[in-house]
Amino acid sequence: MDFAEIVKEYKTKIFNLAFRFVNDYDEAQDLTQETFLAAYKSFEKFKGESEIFTWLYRIALNRCKKAYHKKKWQKIFSLEREAIKKEVENLAESKNNWQEKETQAIVQEKVTKLPPKYREVIILKYFQELSCEEIAVLLKSSVGTIKSRLARGRDLLEKNLSTMISRSDIPV
């Protein structure tokens, strides 16, 4: 498979991963480009010891983590609110669709507030739909560690969401 085919096949998945980490469309595009640029530069060194999918995700994860550490959280949250506002403005007129999208935006915001080790497994499991085994390979951890982080991440997310519901932050 040549590199152009690899880009075509995986660009959407890599973009979605990046967007889930940074919740900013433009930055996610930049991270996607950086990922494929880095992959292209090292493509000759790729030995095929893992699948191309795993190799690209590892590069993308490293790029996303690096971007995360560079940004201040306050800036991320303000960009999130802008992204949420744009998403809500573009919703269909249907009240059900609007409420569903608003809830998704709130959940996305709460996911981005999780500590990094929980956020990445939640994103990979529920937004990228990877198995625990695939996540373990990507993060170079045991399946048990991944399952533990998933459970703890879900608990934290549930706690954050239930606190919000009790404060009536979710529109009814």
Side-chain angles (χ1 to χ4, degrees):
M1 180 182 297
D2 73 350
F3 198 78
E5 291 172 356
I6 292 170
V7 171
K8 186 176 181 180
E9 183 170 342
Y10 295 108
K11 68 181 174 185
T12 302
K13 288 183 178 184
I14 298 298
F15 172 81
N16 288 338
L17 173 69
F19 184 77
R20 296 290 181 193
F21 264 85
V22 298
N23 203 27
D24 178 83
Y25 184 85
D26 293 330
E27 187 172 359
Q29 282 186 319
D30 290 344
L31 286 168
T32 301
Q33 276 189 328
E34 289 176 22
T35 297
F36 283 108
L37 181 61
Y40 181 76
K41 287 180 179 178
S42 62
F43 190 57
E44 291 179 2
K45 297 176 188 174
F46 178 68
K47 298 175 184 172
E49 293 173 357
S50 64
E51 292 191 30
I52 291 175
F53 166 83
T54 305
W55 177 65
L56 285 173
Y57 263 64
R58 185 80 237 156
I59 294 170
L61 270 174
N62 288 337
R63 298 280 172 191
C64 290
K65 287 179 183 179
K66 188 175 179 180
Y68 165 77
H69 291 296
K70 281 184 175 180
K71 277 188 149 186
K72 294 180 182 178
W73 271 108
Q74 293 170 343
K75 185 175 180 182
I76 291 174
F77 295 147
S78 68
L79 290 174
E80 280 179 21
R81 288 185 190 97
E82 289 176 24
I84 291 169
K85 183 179 175 184
K86 285 179 187 175
E87 187 172 328
V88 170
E89 289 171 356
N90 293 331
L91 288 175
E93 294 297 318
S94 166
K95 182 178 179 181
N96 289 338
N97 284 343
W98 183 84
Q99 286 178 333
E100 184 179 320
K101 289 290 188 177
E102 182 70 11
T103 301
Q104 288 174 355
I106 290 168
V107 170
Q108 172 65 30
E109 180 178 0
K110 293 299 180 184
V111 168
T112 61
K113 291 180 181 180
L114 290 173
K117 67 182 181 180
Y118 303 124
R119 180 177 359 110
E120 67 187 3
V121 295
I122 293 289
I123 289 170
L124 291 170
K125 177 70 175 170
Y126 297 107
F127 296 105
Q128 298 297 314
E129 299 177 354
L130 298 180
S131 69
C132 289
E133 292 76 14
E134 291 170 319
I135 297 169
V137 170
L138 287 172
L139 300 181
K140 297 180 181 174
S141 295
S142 71
V143 173
T145 299
I146 298 306
K147 288 181 179 180
S148 172
R149 287 181 184 172
L150 275 171
R152 180 70 178 132
R154 283 190 304 258
D155 289 346
L156 289 171
L157 188 57
E158 183 178 326
K159 180 181 174 186
N160 290 340
L161 289 171
S162 66
T163 301
M164 212 171 83
I165 291 169
S166 68
R167 290 192 338 232
S168 300
D169 288 347
I170 296 182
V172 180

